[in-house]
Amino acid sequence: MRSVAIIGAGIAGLSCADVLAKDGWQVTLFDKGRKAGGRMSSRRVETPHGEASFDFGAQYFTVRHDGFAAEVARWADAGLAVRWPDAGADAWIGVPAMNVVVREMAARHEVRFSHHVSGLAREGMSWRLLGEGMPTEQFDAAVLALPAEQAAPILTLHDFDLARTALFARSQPCWTGMFAFDSPLPHGEDILRNHGILAWASRDSAKPGRRGPESWVVQATPQWSTAHLERSPDEIAPLLLAALHEATGAHAHMPLAHSAHRWRYALSAGTGLGCLWNEQQRIGACGDWLLGPRVECAWISGRMLGERILGAAREAA
């Protein structure tokens, strides 16, 4: 049985894990977060009017690839995903939060959360993970299911051709604000697009399968997010609230709870390569930055890498 360490337990890493585990590989995933989600994360906040829930990463996902369609159909049959017509005819969301589909995928594997992998060491024909608290065990293969900017410095020490691809795949940031209110904002639409500094704003509590008080998620434009990238969440939240007030005309509504989150690597350009793999060293990378800025692209990239690894292993056998 071959072993693989996958760094990053988001959609891409978990999709790759599904393919390899199904073929009998020993798969271990490592993620610096405390729980499954990645850019499909959700957050719950207690308020005097009950628990507010926010999908503060990807707002929805679309389905075009046959393989991903089968996966989404399985989620739907299990009650984990439903359509969200307000966002578009092909828009889907997780229920009761976006992160449930990632959690379901992660539950099928060994995932070690709160493990921040800082690098990889090549020892003979094996890989060992570097970082505080990393295990001493070795793995036959290593997969970086990380944003390009995080994968590049690790790849640079082992395969500069792969690293160069990652170095040129730049992402755009996004500041996201989360606001809960004691009553509905006086605005007839549940979704706003391209209004001032806001690329997106949505009444999260109006999504199918949601409960709790009036909750809004707002996402700033890449240009504005870049200009304010190094400011603190406490500085950003009031600015995003002011933008929401201006967009909805709800200046009298002050939030019960609020927070802001910086996605430093939010929107990938997509290289169109699908995945990266060096069979000689057995190291590779997957993620939406290798296809396009959609949840589905991350899933496809992970699957492509898993199948490529299996194909190379069969040829070598």
Side-chain angles (χ1 to χ4, degrees):
M1 178 185 296
R2 293 196 172 188
S3 61
V4 58
I6 300 178
I7 296 92
I11 284 284
L14 289 165
S15 176
C16 184
D18 282 347
V19 174
L20 295 174
K22 186 177 180 180
D23 200 67
W25 281 54
Q26 180 182 328
V27 179
T28 309
L29 296 104
F30 298 84
D31 197 281
K32 68 178 181 180
R34 292 177 295 175
K35 56 184 179 180
R39 283 180 286 184
M40 291 182 71
S41 289
S42 303
R43 181 178 298 176
R44 297 177 180 180
V45 178
E46 288 294 337
T47 80
H49 288 255
E51 186 179 73
S53 177
F54 305 95
D55 296 329
F56 66 99
Q59 296 297 290
Y60 60 90
F61 55 89
T62 55
V63 182
R64 300 169 190 173
H65 183 274
D66 288 344
F68 189 58
E71 182 81 335
V72 173
R74 189 178 63 78
W75 293 340
D77 288 343
L80 301 176
V82 296
R83 292 184 183 274
W84 185 23
D86 288 349
D90 60 345
W92 288 78
I93 57 172
V95 177
M98 281 293 284
N99 65 356
V100 296
V101 296
V102 186
R103 287 166 51 190
E104 190 271 343
M105 293 178 72
R108 302 197 292 265
H109 301 286
E110 179 184 353
V111 184
R112 302 181 191 179
F113 292 108
S114 300
H115 279 65
H116 189 178
V117 178
S118 60
L120 295 170
R122 186 72 168 160
E123 298 185 348
M125 296 296 291
S126 301
W127 291 103
R128 180 171 59 83
L129 277 58
L130 302 178
E132 186 177 351
M134 287 300 112
T136 58
E137 63 197 284
Q138 297 182 339
F139 300 89
D140 297 320
V143 167
L144 303 178
L146 301 169
E149 290 85 351
Q150 294 175 338
I154 299 177
L155 290 170
T156 298
L157 299 176
H158 306 289
D159 185 320
F160 191 72
D161 285 338
L162 299 190
R164 183 166 48 195
T165 300
L167 286 167
F168 283 103
R170 310 306 296 174
S171 304
Q172 293 180 302
C174 176
W175 270 111
T176 296
M178 292 155 271
F179 305 99
F181 301 92
D182 60 3
S183 60
L185 301 192
H187 187 78
E189 301 294 328
D190 291 334
I191 295 175
L192 292 168
R193 291 181 172 91
N194 302 317
H195 192 288
I197 70 168
L198 301 182
W200 170 275
S202 67
R203 198 187 315 259
D204 235 37
S205 50
K207 288 180 176 179
R210 271 40 174 188
R211 296 180 179 179
E214 174 90 348
S215 303
W216 281 77
V217 169
V218 302
Q219 295 180 326
T221 64
Q223 297 78 12
W224 191 89
S225 297
T226 299
H228 297 82
L229 189 61
E230 301 305 333
R231 300 184 72 172
S232 71
D234 288 342
E235 293 176 299
I236 292 296
L239 301 178
L240 294 181
L241 177 61
L244 178 63
H245 280 160
E246 195 278 328
T248 60
H251 296 277
H253 284 64
M254 298 308 295
L256 298 167
H258 69 274
S259 64
H261 180 86
R262 176 180 57 199
W263 293 103
R264 190 177 288 273
Y265 311 119
L267 302 169
S268 65
T271 64
L273 296 174
C275 64
L276 302 176
W277 180 245
N278 178 327
E279 170 58 18
Q280 185 176 3
Q281 295 201 62
R282 294 198 296 276
I283 185 172
C286 59
D288 62 354
W289 60 274
L290 285 156
L291 274 180
R294 294 187 290 124
V295 170
E296 181 177 34
C297 290
W299 186 91
I300 295 170
S301 176
R303 176 172 170 171
M304 288 176 67
L305 180 55
E307 292 174 344
R308 187 167 174 181
I309 293 171
L310 294 182
R314 292 180 185 124
E315 288 182 6

